[in-house]
Amino acid sequence: MNSYEKRAAVLGSTGSVGTQAIDALTRLGVKIDLLTAGKNISLVAKQAVECNAVAVAVPDPGDGDALRSLLPDTVKVYAGKDELLQAIMECRCDLIVHAISGMAGIPYALACADTGARIAMANKEALISLGHIIYERLKRSGGELIPVDSEHSAIFQCLAASGAADPKAPADSKSVRRILLTASGGPFFGMSRDELCSVTPEMALAHPTWKMGKKITIDCATLMNKGFELIEACRLFNVEPDRVEVLIHRQSIIHSMVEYTDGAVIAELSYPDMRDCVRYALAYPHRAPFGGEPLDFVKLGSLTFHAPDRNAFPLLRAAEDAWYMGGCAPAALIAADEEAVWAFLEKKVSFTGIADVVLETMSRISHIPADSAEAVFAAEAEARKIAREIIYR
């Protein structure tokens, strides 16, 4: 394979996306200078040694000494949230893979946008909550953003084929009639709301296609993740929800499609593999070499599509409503869902109770303009408080 003379950082290196990003980048000969992780100190230390990283950063100041004891003296250790932000600003990398999950990744997304680097963005919460501010900062710094979610990478690639994609700003969507956002349907495709009442955490964690963390796996089962991706698509591609159609595509081969105003539809197809998205974000506007299995269309046979059942999975509608509510409502939606999902995993609410908690929370939140990270975190705190009141009443 070709070697790319670029330097990279991987934020959230010990998670599913982070580990796949390291694999994709090292196979292409990219030098990884900076790694960040949460609490998996032993794994990030091992990764740093294998990658010959220059620096490692963790958000907890108390983990600094433990990390230093596992690393050679040549590796600089940053410990604490402020030092992690400092590490991002000092890394001087060409590509930053942002794979820190959840709302915790928002401050680091803003910092990435200030570096002038290309961001391979896998943190949807930052784009959903503050996508407009991220693009403002990219404009000032000269940085770029290419989505790494498989669906949004696919949409970006479809738009790039027509010249409508822009890594420096939301896409030019004037020639786009619809974005067709595909979903696997999760493990409960075809079940009614009554049948979903008896779903257990163990059942919900058995995703048919992707291996992911618990939170996102549950979100895929409720279709909340697809709702988040709908909002993310609106941010990234400059469309309203009425121009985004969610399609259940059980084979997970078409990762999304774009229909243009002339009636043509462009689709991106591949076997499910997050490393493809990382390679594309690195090489854009070119394409990196691929050493995996090519699609066998004869073996695939057929590709099928279904409309989502919005009665059984009402969180799709909740996402559309949050977009139209505006301000910090999308951030509040994320926070309410996080509380409800963890309550489900702890068996404090039922599977259908996740949607009940989220919908009631959203009916009670205040309207807060999304003009700063501080405003987003205030809305998040309010939504969490309301959701917990609902869960434990």
Side-chain angles (χ1 to χ4, degrees), residues 163-383:
D166 186 352
K168 295 183 181 294
D172 179 359
S173 65
K174 291 191 294 293
S175 63
V176 174
R177 179 181 292 164
R178 288 185 301 166
I179 287 173
L180 301 164
L181 185 67
T182 58
S184 71
F188 308 126
F189 170 72
M191 292 177 65
S192 68
R193 183 168 173 81
D194 288 343
E195 291 171 322
L196 291 171
C197 290
S198 59
V199 162
T200 66
E202 293 75 19
M203 295 164 63
L205 289 170
H207 193 277
T209 307
W210 301 95
K211 183 178 180 182
M212 304 169 291
K214 289 184 178 181
K215 166 64 168 57
I216 191 172
T217 303
I218 301 301
D219 283 343
C220 289
T222 64
L223 295 193
M224 183 74 268
N225 189 58
K226 203 53 51 178
F228 291 147
E229 290 179 358
L230 182 148
I231 298 174
E232 188 178 358
C234 292
R235 292 275 195 224
L236 287 167
F237 307 120
N238 198 25
V239 295
E240 293 292 313
D242 62 359
R243 291 169 66 193
V244 181
E245 181 177 346
V246 174
L247 290 174
I248 305 299
H249 171 52
R250 298 294 283 167
Q251 295 85 7
S252 297
I253 295 297
I254 295 179
H255 298 298
S256 276
M257 300 176 275
V258 173
E259 180 184 32
Y260 291 89
T261 50
D262 64 357
V265 177
I266 296 178
E268 190 273 322
L269 294 77
S270 64
Y271 289 121
D273 192 334
M274 285 297 298
R275 291 170 293 188
D276 295 342
C277 306
V278 174
R279 279 193 295 266
Y280 182 79
L282 170 72
Y284 174 85
H286 308 292
R287 290 189 175 271
F290 168 63
E293 180 184 0
L295 280 176
D296 185 334
F297 287 93
V298 174
K299 185 177 179 180
L300 286 173
S302 63
L303 302 175
T304 60
F305 305 93
H306 308 270
D309 183 343
R310 290 172 178 263
N311 292 321
F313 301 95
L315 290 177
L316 270 178
R317 177 68 64 190
E320 294 169 348
D321 291 344
W323 171 265
Y324 287 118
M325 288 171 69
C328 289
L333 179 71
I334 294 168
D337 177 67
E338 285 186 358
E339 293 296 325
V341 167
W342 293 121
F344 168 67
L345 290 171
E346 294 173 359
K347 300 186 177 179
K348 292 181 170 62
V349 300
S350 66
F351 182 77
T352 53
I354 296 172
D356 294 338
V357 170
V358 172
L359 292 171
E360 184 174 346
T361 300
M362 295 304 292
S363 72
R364 293 168 52 183
I365 60 167
S366 307
H367 178 77
I368 302 174
D371 52 11
S372 67
E374 290 75 21
V376 164
F377 290 130
E380 175 195 13
E382 181 193 26

Side-chain angles (χ1 to χ4, degrees), residues 17 31 62 74 78 113 123 151 212 221 310 317 333 348 355:
V17 176
K31 175 69 171 65
T74 53
Y78 296 83
N123 177 282
E151 294 83 358
M212 304 169 291
R310 290 172 178 263
R317 177 68 64 190
L333 179 71
K348 292 181 170 62

